[in-house]
């Protein structure tokens, strides 16, 4: 008889936890269902059942509090992928659970406060305690519960936790943990015929009854014309031209009745019909035939197609073929902003068979899409970003990963720090699906796998309709500045090309990979620069977009803290503070003053915080309502605009000077990708590349679109210094609030690691940003041979980590891993 359940908790803890199965749940519970379990003294969590058994554990168990599902919400294939991610990326299964399920499918434990009915005052309250006390009495007195959030809002107290803690210690209040469901289904009011009037005879009676009430008769007649069973209330009132009062009268007479009906938020409202993609050109058809041929020998194929070669049209035809075979398709993109254009294009072909999944959608919509994928009528195609690999597919047959080289596929913080492209390859392999990687500038690892025969390789070198690749003009800004010919960040050549493009009614994209107004503020006299109090970074100047100031201020891009600009230098007392460098805000402001007649928009993290924001920016640019689009790397990725004839890369040097062995590869990819936005429809494009290092090899390779030359040169260096793809690389981060403690911890942990991994361990080292949110950071690097099993590496690392963290001096330290 099954008596126990092993569950995964959404916490960064290793292993599973065993709970007792109450008698009433024994026949209801299945593996993959959600349950509510107590953990600790008063916390409750949503957990996923991974095993049912009768093996009594060595410790006393608590009972499961509640079952949330009658059928599994996590399928066996999903659990298989979760375990692989936890094992390979050296994290807990609980971390994967937190990332995999939408928030609305996880219940929250929210603290509520209520008065203690047995308490008697011994000493007076402080003024703030009195405020909280009276707020509780005002809302309902003893026995009434109020959340901490609502108490804080009502009292106006900024930090209510210490006050409530003080009242708790005095015994005046009690705190109760109350579970609340964050997801509520969307409902619409509908109208249906009352059961007593459902027969034809009774219907005639109703019409006779309403003979002297023409408006009620008209409303009922309209209902009968619109629906056989029910109709949305708003639609009925709009169609009949009657008021809500008329409907209420019919309901009071018992002829009609209203009810709330649950509807999908994710349903397609626009009337897109099923259609077909465009006919493939001869090069596209050859590429598609080659992909299908390569899939006979390899499960993974890399499509190396230059920008604007028509890769998306090939994807559409492959999707149609997969759907015709009864398979589901996962179409992955690196950036949310790319989904707007692509979704519109795919919906014209696939209609309501398409679902979209990413974090800019409300959580309620993501919950509904997740539940639809578990239903008997799931979407055939899902377009999504990296989190879409966690969706429940039952018949996945094709995975397409567009712009597969993009760094956005790598999750940084929090754990799991997985690479969605690699996880998607594992997912496809587990279910026997085919995978297509697409890029104009493939990652060196993927291209290496293709050349070595691990993946299939298909090359598409011609642009759609025979268009030529854009010409790239290098401008040496160091020379321009020496001759005093620069206008701020703009060279005379770039301004001339911008003016020419505007005269021709063409559009311009300007790429600067720094948001904000200026990267640094500096004192002209002593050189002082403001730095974040919590992080080891200088503050970025913003013009009122994020900070709590009306005109301008400074923001830390690591912790989000905001600061006002000081009126004088706090170091020397002078008033000579100025903004140094150029962010997208400053470029927008400066260009508007140079070209006041131009319609300019900016696309960066600050202007695309909601789905509506970025969709509106892209829509305006696509419709020709914007002349110049200034943006960060968002503008480099897969966007397709007909009228863009000019692209300006304002500063190539910031990308080339990053302290990362991948910096040259990524600089080439960014510059080549943004250059590919120009001249996509019917005319040649032009790119102006501004740099201080015109002779740099990467710059020259971008000019000649020489991906193969970049690949050969970078791989030579990677092999020489033993970097991926010739090894696996694990970054080990150590954090503590005390710098001396983390320094000693890093030294001691490095010594432990070297006993096992020997020369494979490098460091410890102080990273470029050595303090974030008051936590001091040190880093170790572990280089692992490709033949070494990551599961064995994981076991050694976790064992050594547990060994060192048992020391009292290091118990409050954090150690975590970033693989690949």
């Amino acid at each position: 008889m099954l008596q126990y359940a092993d569950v995964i908790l959404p916490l960064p803890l290793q292993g599973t936890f065993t709970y007792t199965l109450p008698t009433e749940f024994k026949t209801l519970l299945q593996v993959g269902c959600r349950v509510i379990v107590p953990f600790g003294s008063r916390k409750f969590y949503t957990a996923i059942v991974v095993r049912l058994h009768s093996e009594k554990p060595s410790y006393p168990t608590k009972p499961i509090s509640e079952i949330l599902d009658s059928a599994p919400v996590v399928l066996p294939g999903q659990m298989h992928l979760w375990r692989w991610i936890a094992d390979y990326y050296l994290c807990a299964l609980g971390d994967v659970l937190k990332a995999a399920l939408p928030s609305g499918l996880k219940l929250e434990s929210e603290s509520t406060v209520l008065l203690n009915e047995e308490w008697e005052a011994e000493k007076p309250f402080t003024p703030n305690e009195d405020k909280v006390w009276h707020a509780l009495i005002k809302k309902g007195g003893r026995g009434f519960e109020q959340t901490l959030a609502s108490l804080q809002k009502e009292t106006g107290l900024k930090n209510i936790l210490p006050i409530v803690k003080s009242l708790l210690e005095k015994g005046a209040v009690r705190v109760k943990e109350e579970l609340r469901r964050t997801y509520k289904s969307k409902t619409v009011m509908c109208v249906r015929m009352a059961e007593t009037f459902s027969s034809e005879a009774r219907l005639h009676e109703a019409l006779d009854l309403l003979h002297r009430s023409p408006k009620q008769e008209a409303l009922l007649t309209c209902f009968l014309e619109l629906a056989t069973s029910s109709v949305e209330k708003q639609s009925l009132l709009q169609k009949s031209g009657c008021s809500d009062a008329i409907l209420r009268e019919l309901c009071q007479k018992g002829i009609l009745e209203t009810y709330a009906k649950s509807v999908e938020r994710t349903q397609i409202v626009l009337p897109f019909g099923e259609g077909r993609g465009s006919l493939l050109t001869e090069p596209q058809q050859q590429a598609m035939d080659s992909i299908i041929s390569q899939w006979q020998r390899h499960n993974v194929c890399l499509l190396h197609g230059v920008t604007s070669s028509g890769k998306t049209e090939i994807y559409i035809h492959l999707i149609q073929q997969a759907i015709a075979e009864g398979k589901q398709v996962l179409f992955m993109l690196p950036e949310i902003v790319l989904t707007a254009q692509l979704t519109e294009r795919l919906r014209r072909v696939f209609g309501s068979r398409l679902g979209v999944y990413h974090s800019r959608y409300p959580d309620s919509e993501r919950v509904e899409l997740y539940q639809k994928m578990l239903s008997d009528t799931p979407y055939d195609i899902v377009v999504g970003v990296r989190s879409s690999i966690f969706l429940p597919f039952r018949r996945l047959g094709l995975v397409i990963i567009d712009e597969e080289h993009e760094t956005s596929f790598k999750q940084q913080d929090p754990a799991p720090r997985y690479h969605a492209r690699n996880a998607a390859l594992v997912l496809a392999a587990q279910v026997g699906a085919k995978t297509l990687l697409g890029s104009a500038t493939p990652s060196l690892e993927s291209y290496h796998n293709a050349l070595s025969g691990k993946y299939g390789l298909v090359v598409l070198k011609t642009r759609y309709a025979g268009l030529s690749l854009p010409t790239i003009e290098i401008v040496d800004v160091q020379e321009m500045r020496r001759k005093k010919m620069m206008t701020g960040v703009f060279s005379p050549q770039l301004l001339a090309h911008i003016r020419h493009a505007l005269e021709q009614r063409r559009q311009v994209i300007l790429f600067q990979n720094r948001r904000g107004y200026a990267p640094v503020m500096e004192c002209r006299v002593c050189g002082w620069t403001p730095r974040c109090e919590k992080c080891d970074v200088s503050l970025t100047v913003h013009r009122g977009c994020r900070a709590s100031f009306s005109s301008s201020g400074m923001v830390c891009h690591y912790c989000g803290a905001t600061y006002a600009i000081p009126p004088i230098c706090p170091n020397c007392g002078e008033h000579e503070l100025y903004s140094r460098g150029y962010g997208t805000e400053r470029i927008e402001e400066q260009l508007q003053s140079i070209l006041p007649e131009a319609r300019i928009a900016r696309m960066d993290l600050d202007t695309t915080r909601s789905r509506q924001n970025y969709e509106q920016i892209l829509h305006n640019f696509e419709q020709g309502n914007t002349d110049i689009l200034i943006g960060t790397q968002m503008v480099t990725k897969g966007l397709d605009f007909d009228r863009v004839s000019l692209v300006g890369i304002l500063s190539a040097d910031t990308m080339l000077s990053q302290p990362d062995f991948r910096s040259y590869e990524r600089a080439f990819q960014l510059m080549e990708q943004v250059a590919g936005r120009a001249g996509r429809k019917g005319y040649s494009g032009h790119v102006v590349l501004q740099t201080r290092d015109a002779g740099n090899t990467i710059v020259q390779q971008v000019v000649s679109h020489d991906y193969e030359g970049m690949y050969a040169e970078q791989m030579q260096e990677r092999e020489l210094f033993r970097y991926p793809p010739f090894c696996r690389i694990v970054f080990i981060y150590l954090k503590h609030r005390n710098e001396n403690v983390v320094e000693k911890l890093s030294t001691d942990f490095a010594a432990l690691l070297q006993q096992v991994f020997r020369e494979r361990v490098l460091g410890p080292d102080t990273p470029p940003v050595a303090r974030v949110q008051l936590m001091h950071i040190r880093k170790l690097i572990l280089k692992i041979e490709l033949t070494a099993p990551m599961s064995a590496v994981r076991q050694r690392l976790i064992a050594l980590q547990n060994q060192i963290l048992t020391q009292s001096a290091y118990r409050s330290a954090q150690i975590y891993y970033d693989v690949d």
Side-chain angles (χ1 to χ4, degrees):
M1 186 69 176
L2 300 176
Q3 295 179 319
Y4 301 98
D6 292 347
V7 304
I8 304 170
L9 287 165
L11 298 169
L13 301 171
Q14 298 296 330
T16 58
F17 295 84
T18 303
Y19 285 83
T20 306
L21 201 56
T23 306
E24 64 271 23
F25 293 163
K26 287 181 181 178
T27 58
L28 302 175
L29 192 57
Q30 301 178 52
V31 171
C33 287
R34 294 173 301 152
V35 292
I36 299 297
V37 294
F39 191 79
S41 58
R42 59 176 67 205
K43 290 285 184 183
F44 287 83
Y45 291 96
T46 299
I48 298 293
V49 177
V50 294
R51 181 176 171 238
L52 297 169
H53 60 92
S54 55
E55 300 166 16
K56 186 176 181 180
S58 58
Y59 52 87
T61 57
K62 296 179 180 179
I64 289 172
S65 301
E66 186 181 348
I67 295 178
L68 297 179
D69 306 301
S70 57
V73 297
V74 178
L75 304 178
Q78 289 175 276
M79 188 57 64
H80 194 184
L81 180 67
W82 288 17
R83 293 187 185 281
W84 180 85
I85 289 175
D87 193 49
Y88 187 84
Y89 292 103
L90 306 172
C91 64
L93 265 172
D95 289 323
V96 185
L97 163 59
K98 286 172 70 175
L101 291 185
S103 298
L105 291 178
K106 294 173 287 192
L107 298 180
E108 294 182 359
S109 184
E110 185 178 57
S111 296
T112 56
V113 183
L114 64 160
L115 299 176
N116 184 358
E117 297 178 356
E118 300 171 2
W119 180 74
E120 293 181 6
E122 295 179 2
K123 53 184 178 181
F125 289 143
T126 65
N128 284 344
E129 289 173 346
D130 198 60
K131 269 188 182 181
V132 174
W133 177 261
H134 279 94
L136 285 167
I137 291 176
K138 181 181 175 183
K139 281 290 183 181
R142 285 173 165 78
F144 183 84
E145 301 164 13
Q146 197 167 356
T147 65
L148 289 177
S150 61
L151 267 177
Q152 187 162 316
K153 184 178 180 181
E154 187 175 337
T155 58
L157 298 169
K158 288 187 176 179
N159 190 358
I160 204 168
L161 281 174
I163 304 160
V164 172
K165 183 183 176 187
S166 175
L167 288 170
L168 271 170
E169 290 169 351
K170 290 177 179 177
V173 299
R174 294 187 292 116
V175 172
K176 178 183 176 183
E177 291 296 323
E178 183 179 89
L179 290 169
R180 64 181 177 90
R181 288 173 169 79
T182 58
Y183 168 70
K184 293 179 181 178
S185 61
K186 181 181 178 181
T187 58
V188 294
M189 292 305 296
C190 291
V191 181
R192 63 189 172 197
M193 185 70 70
E195 193 172 343
T196 53
F197 283 89
S198 57
S199 68
E200 189 174 343
R202 290 286 285 159
L203 189 56
H204 283 298
E205 285 181 29
L207 290 169
D208 292 339
L209 183 67
L210 299 176
H211 189 63
R212 294 182 181 179
S213 305
K215 289 187 177 180
Q216 293 179 33
E217 185 181 24
L219 181 58
L220 180 58
T221 304
C222 185
F223 170 82
L224 295 172
E225 290 173 354
L226 285 175
T228 54
S229 57
S230 70
V231 65
E232 285 189 21
K233 175 183 170 182
Q234 198 62 37
S235 175
L236 175 62
L237 295 178
Q238 190 174 356
K239 187 78 174 175
S240 65
C242 296
S243 66
D244 196 29
I246 304 295
L247 176 61
R248 280 200 302 273
E249 290 173 7
L250 281 173
C251 292
Q252 287 169 1
K253 290 177 178 178
I255 299 172
L256 295 179
E257 60 185 20
T258 59
Y259 68 101
K261 178 183 176 182
S262 294
V263 297
E264 290 183 12
R265 289 179 173 89
T266 53
Q267 63 185 348
I268 307 296
V269 178
L270 297 175
F272 291 130
E274 300 285 328
R276 294 188 59 82
S278 304
L279 291 175
L280 297 179
T281 63
E282 187 177 342
Q284 288 173 330
Q285 186 63 56
Q286 289 173 355
M288 180 172 165
D289 293 342
S290 298
I291 291 166
I292 294 169
S293 174
Q294 288 289 343
W295 277 339
Q296 303 302 315
R297 302 185 297 276
H298 308 279
N299 287 325
V300 182
C301 181
L302 172 64
L303 173 59
H304 181 194
V306 297
T307 56
S308 193
S309 57
K311 294 187 291 294
T312 304
E313 203 57 54
I314 296 173
Y315 299 155
I316 288 172
H317 281 72
L318 290 171
I319 291 170
Q320 288 176 322
Q321 184 174 304
I323 291 175
E325 295 170 1
K327 299 172 182 175
Q328 289 177 297
V329 180
L330 172 59
F331 195 139
M332 291 181 64
L333 295 167
E335 284 279 357
I336 289 167
V337 293
L338 297 184
T339 60
Q341 274 194 325
L342 183 69
T343 301
E344 186 177 346
R345 188 169 172 182
L346 291 176
R347 276 184 178 158
R348 291 195 191 104
V349 180
F350 299 107
S352 58
R353 305 176 87 165
L354 174 76
V356 182
Y357 190 80
H358 60 63
S359 60
R360 295 287 174 92
Y361 277 98
D363 189 68
S364 51
E365 291 190 22
R366 283 182 283 142
V367 168
E368 287 184 353
L369 188 140
Y370 191 100
Q371 291 175 331
K372 184 171 177 63
M373 296 303 289
L374 284 168
S375 73
D376 295 331
T377 57
Y379 289 114
D380 291 320
I381 317 155
V382 174
V383 176
V385 290
R386 58 177 178 250
S387 58
S388 58
I389 63 167
F390 296 117
L391 288 170
F393 293 94
R394 295 185 189 274
R395 43 187 175 82
L396 185 64
L398 173 62
V399 177
I400 297 173
I401 306 173
D402 196 21
E403 310 294 351
E404 66 84 29
H405 66 278
E406 273 294 340
T407 57
S408 304
F409 280 123
K410 180 70 166 69
Q411 165 75 10
Q412 298 299 334
D413 282 306
R417 296 172 181 85
Y418 66 101
H419 198 299
R421 178 197 64 211
N422 298 346
L425 291 173
V426 172
L427 169 65
Q430 288 175 351
V431 300
K434 300 297 182 183
T435 305
L436 180 63
L437 309 175
S439 177
T441 54
S443 63
L444 298 192
E445 288 87 347
S446 293
Y447 200 63
H448 173 75
N449 285 334
L451 292 183
S452 63
K454 185 176 180 180
Y455 301 166
L457 176 62
V458 175
V459 178
L460 185 57
K461 282 293 186 182
T462 57
R463 279 189 142 191
Y464 183 78
L467 294 173
S468 59
L469 287 166
T471 56
I472 301 179
E473 175 185 352
I474 298 177
V475 176
D476 189 338
V477 293
Q478 192 162 341
E479 180 68 13
M480 291 294 107
R481 291 196 188 282
R482 189 182 66 80
K483 294 178 178 178
K484 298 184 178 179
M485 296 176 67
M486 295 290 289
T487 305
V489 75
F490 301 101
S491 64
Q493 295 94 322
L494 179 56
L495 286 176
H497 284 295
I498 291 174
R499 289 190 174 100
H500 179 72
L502 297 182
E503 288 169 5
Q504 298 293 315
R505 298 187 179 276
R506 301 295 186 193
Q507 292 174 303
V508 179
I509 290 178
L510 298 179
F511 169 52
Q512 172 75 341
N513 211 20
R514 282 188 184 276
R515 65 188 175 96
Y517 186 79
V520 178
M521 175 158 279
E522 190 175 278
C523 174
R524 292 185 190 275
V525 178
C526 68
W528 173 84
T529 59
R531 303 184 74 79
C532 179
E533 295 172 0
K534 299 177 182 178
C535 308
D536 189 19
V537 291
S538 58
L539 298 170
T540 301
V541 182
H542 280 255
R543 285 291 175 94
C545 61
R546 288 187 61 205
S548 56
F549 29 73
S550 57
S551 56
S552 61
M554 301 176 294
V555 179
C556 174
H557 283 180
Y558 278 77
C559 70
T562 60
Y563 302 82
I565 295 175
I568 61 171
C569 173
N571 188 51
C572 67
E574 294 292 337
H575 291 78
E576 298 292 317
L577 293 174
Y578 77 105
S579 300
R580 182 160 60 84
Y582 291 85
T584 49
E585 281 184 58
R586 190 174 190 179
I587 291 165
E588 180 185 24
E589 177 188 271
Q590 197 171 82
L591 190 60
Q592 197 70 73
S593 66
I594 297 169
L595 300 168
E597 74 283 0
R599 297 166 297 176
I600 301 172
R602 175 165 52 91
M603 191 163 81
D604 55 28
L605 186 61
D606 298 313
T607 62
T608 59
R609 292 192 177 274
S610 75
R611 186 175 99 201
Q612 291 76 20
N613 289 150
Y614 72 74
E615 285 182 352
Q616 190 61 50
I617 291 169
L618 293 178
H619 177 76
N620 288 340
F621 197 64
E622 192 169 24
Q623 295 300 311
N625 300 324
T626 303
D627 299 317
I628 303 172
L629 181 63
I630 301 165
T632 55
Q633 58 181 318
M634 288 181 179
V635 301
T636 70
K637 302 172 183 178
L639 298 174
D640 187 9
F641 299 110
D642 293 358
R643 291 186 285 270
V644 175
S645 64
L646 175 67
V647 166
I649 300 172
L650 299 180
S651 178
D653 308 294
T654 55
M655 295 178 280
L656 294 167
S657 58
Q658 298 297 315
D660 185 348
F661 71 91
R662 289 191 174 97
S663 62
Y664 274 24
E665 175 193 0
R666 288 175 177 166
F668 179 91
Q669 289 165 342
L670 278 172
M671 289 189 281
E672 183 70 14
Q673 287 285 341
V674 75
R677 303 311 109 204
R680 298 174 72 91
K681 296 287 166 66
Y683 50 87
S684 60
H686 192 79
V687 179
V688 176
L689 193 160
Q690 296 185 166
T691 176
R692 293 174 179 270
D693 188 9
N696 189 292
T697 309
I698 289 292
V699 172
Q700 297 300 322
Q701 288 163 347
V702 171
V703 171
S704 57
H705 306 286
D706 185 13
Y707 173 84
E708 287 77 11
M710 183 277 295
Y711 170 81
E713 186 176 287
Q714 293 302 307
M715 290 297 281
Q716 200 171 14
E717 288 188 9
R718 299 273 183 97
E719 189 170 18
L720 181 63
F721 296 105
R722 217 164 65 85
Y723 275 106
F726 300 103
C727 74
R728 289 196 180 98
I729 193 164
V730 180
F731 288 164
I732 305 170
Y733 291 96
L734 307 98
K735 290 185 175 182
H736 197 276
R737 286 185 176 272
N738 187 310
E739 187 172 10
N740 294 328
V741 172
V742 77
E743 184 69 38
K744 189 170 188 311
L745 170 63
S746 62
T747 305
D748 292 350
F749 195 47
L752 269 179
L753 292 172
Q754 284 163 356
Q755 291 175 16
V756 176
F757 297 103
R758 304 191 183 281
E759 72 283 351
R760 300 178 184 87
V761 180
L762 305 177
D765 183 27
T766 303
V769 179
R771 185 173 62 114
V772 174
Q773 293 185 317
L774 300 176
M775 298 291 282
H776 294 273
I777 307 168
R778 294 295 181 270
K779 184 171 87 171
L780 295 162
I781 296 177
L782 181 61
K783 291 183 175 180
I784 303 294
E785 296 88 346
L786 297 175
T787 53
M790 286 302 289
S791 56
V793 173
R794 171 194 168 90
Q795 289 172 7
R796 294 288 183 90
L797 284 173
I798 297 300
L800 294 173
Q801 175 184 328
N802 292 337
Q803 178 183 334
I804 200 162
L805 291 183
T806 54
Q807 299 181 32
S808 57
Y810 301 144
R811 278 179 186 161
S812 57
Q814 297 176 21
I815 299 177
Y816 65 88
Y817 308 92
D818 194 351
V819 180
D820 295 345

